[in-house]
Amino acid sequence: MPTCDLSGFAEAIASGEIDVVDLTFTLSPDFPVIVMPPEIGQSAPVRIEEISRYDAAGPAWYWNNLSFGEHTGTHFDAPVHWYTGRDLPNNSVDTLPTRHMIAPAIVIDCTREAVADADFLLTVPFLERWETAYGRIPVGAWVLMRTDWSKKDWRAYSNLGDDGAHTPGPDAAAMQWLVIERDILGFGTETIGTDAGQGGHLDPPYPAHHFLHGNGKYGLQCLTNLDRLPVRGSVLVAAPLKVQRGSGSPLRVLALVPKEVA
């Protein structure tokens, strides 16, 4: 078996032959967090508390205390996050296989549909048409749902109404199909959740969470710059923080894109 040319890979990144695209929002106190019904628990917003900045509290150094919910900003969902995955082995961010942190990605462009309908649902027929045009979704890949939702301002990004959020996502049949028929590694979106804003009304409720995590798969939310990726040919590096028994965490998501497919 030939030896992998890791030096050549590093040189290709350094020379720009492989582009590195940052798919991550800046984690800041202004970033919107998911809003749950008021009678249940809420995620804390991002807080950045300065400890010292070259002053009496620390004359030579600058640093901060940070606090935030696990599912804040651009973040990763582990199987233990949802009740369907609570009993699986290696289901938290500190135990998931490290080989899963680097994987190929494909991009499903739903921008036109999301502009026309904030509650657009990705369906199996839509995915089958994508495969007719671009080929079969590979086993073990990240499937990224591009909507350009990340380009909105924060008020429009949350898109909250009296009946909850109105954001696009997958329907139940599409999510089950991706997990069972295509055996994907995970599903990623530009919105606050992997599910549609009205996903609680689907059967089962929140089907992305239900099917992904019940089958040991992962979620990525609040991605950006998906318009800079090809429909296929990129590789994601998505390594969550190693939080003890963590259900997820903010993370830096990088896409590696060879120039010939950019």
Side-chain angles (χ1 to χ4, degrees):
M1 180 179 294
T3 302
C4 294
D5 184 10
L6 292 179
S7 295
F9 169 71
E11 290 170 3
I13 292 177
S15 68
E17 183 181 348
I18 295 176
D19 194 15
V20 181
V21 181
D22 191 352
L23 306 185
T24 317
F25 274 109
T26 299
L27 195 62
S28 74
D30 298 327
F31 199 92
V33 297
I34 192 167
V35 177
M36 305 301 290
E39 66 272 15
I40 61 179
Q42 305 292 322
S43 177
V46 176
R47 293 184 175 89
I48 303 175
E49 176 193 16
E50 185 176 291
I51 303 172
S52 69
R53 194 179 183 97
Y54 328 117
D55 52 26
W61 52 89
Y62 163 59
W63 57 336
N64 299 302
N65 283 321
L66 303 177
S67 64
F68 42 77
E70 290 176 322
H71 300 268
T72 306
T74 301
H75 65 276
F76 184 99
D77 285 358
V80 74
H81 176 47
W82 209 248
Y83 77 98
T84 53
R86 63 186 176 186
D87 295 323
L88 296 178
N90 302 321
N91 62 357
S92 56
V93 291
D94 56 330
T95 61
L96 65 91
T98 52
R99 67 181 182 278
H100 289 174
M101 298 179 190
I102 303 174
I106 62 103
V107 179
I108 310 293
D109 189 348
C110 306
T111 52
R112 183 175 62 182
E113 292 76 14
V115 167
D117 180 9
D119 293 314
F120 168 74
L121 294 176
L122 179 65
T123 64
V124 172
F126 192 103
L127 291 164
E128 290 175 334
R129 290 193 296 272
W130 186 94
E131 287 196 329
T132 298
Y134 300 109
R136 187 180 175 93
I137 295 169
V139 171
W142 281 104
V143 172
L144 308 180
M145 182 178 175
R146 178 188 165 193
T147 57
D148 285 354
W149 206 261
S150 60
K151 298 181 183 297
K152 296 179 179 291
D153 64 37
W154 290 149
R155 181 182 296 272
Y157 184 79
S158 298
N159 204 26
L160 290 172
D162 293 338
D163 57 348
H166 290 269
T167 56
D171 73 6
M175 207 67 251
Q176 186 175 30
W177 185 84
L178 285 169
V179 169
I180 304 302
E181 300 299 326
R182 292 299 179 264
D183 194 17
I184 64 172
L185 179 70
F187 185 75
T189 65
E190 295 180 74
T191 54
I192 287 179
T194 47
D195 277 293
Q198 294 291 300
H201 301 295
L202 300 178
D203 184 18
Y206 305 107
H209 286 75
H210 183 96
F211 290 113
L212 284 170
H213 305 321
N215 290 276
K217 310 298 185 180
Y218 313 124
L220 287 172
Q221 290 94 169
C222 304
L223 298 171
T224 188
N225 292 327
L226 294 189
D227 56 321
R228 294 179 56 189
L229 301 189
V231 293
R232 59 192 310 152
S234 62
V235 171
L236 287 198
V237 180
L241 297 175
K242 197 172 183 179
V243 180
Q244 186 177 31
R245 295 187 296 276
S247 71
S249 86
L251 77 171
R252 193 78 174 256
V253 183
L254 303 178
L256 307 179
V257 185
K259 287 297 187 183
E260 62 267 21
V261 300

